[in-house]
């Protein structure tokens, strides 16, 4: 089952939900303000992104919303501390985070990848 992590006020999250609804693809929406990502879910997303980005640090950087008003609270941390900061303050996550099982994930709007999920 596809999971969409985001907030109801985020426009990209709304667009992702609409994209899946229009194609009649079932998904579960997880509101980051109410529930959030668990440590295991965040690590799973980092692992998937690490394969695409080439390193754990690059994967974590991809997850950070650089337009967030609190970006400065994470920008200058050591790379080893950033994942924990994202877990502690999930408003810093770029939205939406979409997962399809444990081995597929995207950050932000990524309809070309989602298109490939329709057949899996």
């Amino acid at each position: 089952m596809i999971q969409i992590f985001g907030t109801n006020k985020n426009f990209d999250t709304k667009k992702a939900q609409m994209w899946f609804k229009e194609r009649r693809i079932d998904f579960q929406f997880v509101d980051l303000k109410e529930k959030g990502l668990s440590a295991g879910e965040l690590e799973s997303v980092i692992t998937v992104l690490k394969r695409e980005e080439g390193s754990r640090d690059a994967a974590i950087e991809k997850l950070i919303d650089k337009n967030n008003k609190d970006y400065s609270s994470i920008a200058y941390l050591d790379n080893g501390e950033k994942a924990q900061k994202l877990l502690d303050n999930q408003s810093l996550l770029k939205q939406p985070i979409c997962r399809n099982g444990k081995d597929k994930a995207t950050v932000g709007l990524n309809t070309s990848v989602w298109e490939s999920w329709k057949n899996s």
Side-chain angles (χ1 to χ4, degrees):
M1 156 114 14
I2 293 171
Q3 293 178 301
I4 300 174
F5 294 89
T7 58
N8 286 316
K9 290 188 175 185
N10 181 276
F11 289 114
D12 286 346
T13 299
K14 288 179 184 179
K15 288 177 188 173
Q17 289 176 314
M18 186 59 71
W19 191 91
F20 286 104
K21 280 180 188 172
E22 287 173 350
R23 286 151 186 82
R24 293 186 174 93
I25 299 171
D26 290 335
F27 64 88
Q28 174 190 17
F29 173 67
V30 180
D31 192 332
L32 291 174
K33 287 190 175 186
E34 290 179 17
K35 185 173 182 290
L37 282 162
S38 69
E41 289 168 330
L42 179 61
E43 198 54 46
S44 171
V45 171
I46 291 171
T47 300
V48 171
L49 295 177
K50 179 181 167 185
R51 284 196 310 261
E52 296 171 9
E53 299 297 317
S55 73
R56 180 176 172 79
D57 292 345
I60 291 170
E61 283 298 318
K62 188 170 185 171
L63 282 166
I64 299 171
D65 180 1
K66 293 172 178 57
N67 296 321
N68 187 291
K69 62 181 175 52
D70 295 327
Y71 174 66
S72 63
S73 70
I74 196 170
Y76 303 106
L77 292 178
D78 289 337
N79 287 333
E81 298 173 319
K82 288 182 178 180
Q84 186 60 47
K85 182 70 173 180
L86 286 173
L87 194 58
D88 294 342
N89 184 357
Q90 296 195 9
S91 71
L92 290 166
L93 289 166
K94 185 173 182 178
Q95 298 178 42
I97 296 172
C98 298
R99 288 179 61 201
N100 185 2
K102 291 191 182 285
D103 62 337
K104 297 176 185 167
T106 61
V107 178
L109 291 176
N110 202 332
T111 56
S112 60
V113 173
W114 302 340
E115 194 69 39
S116 71
W117 292 357
K118 286 186 352 183
N119 304 323
S120 58

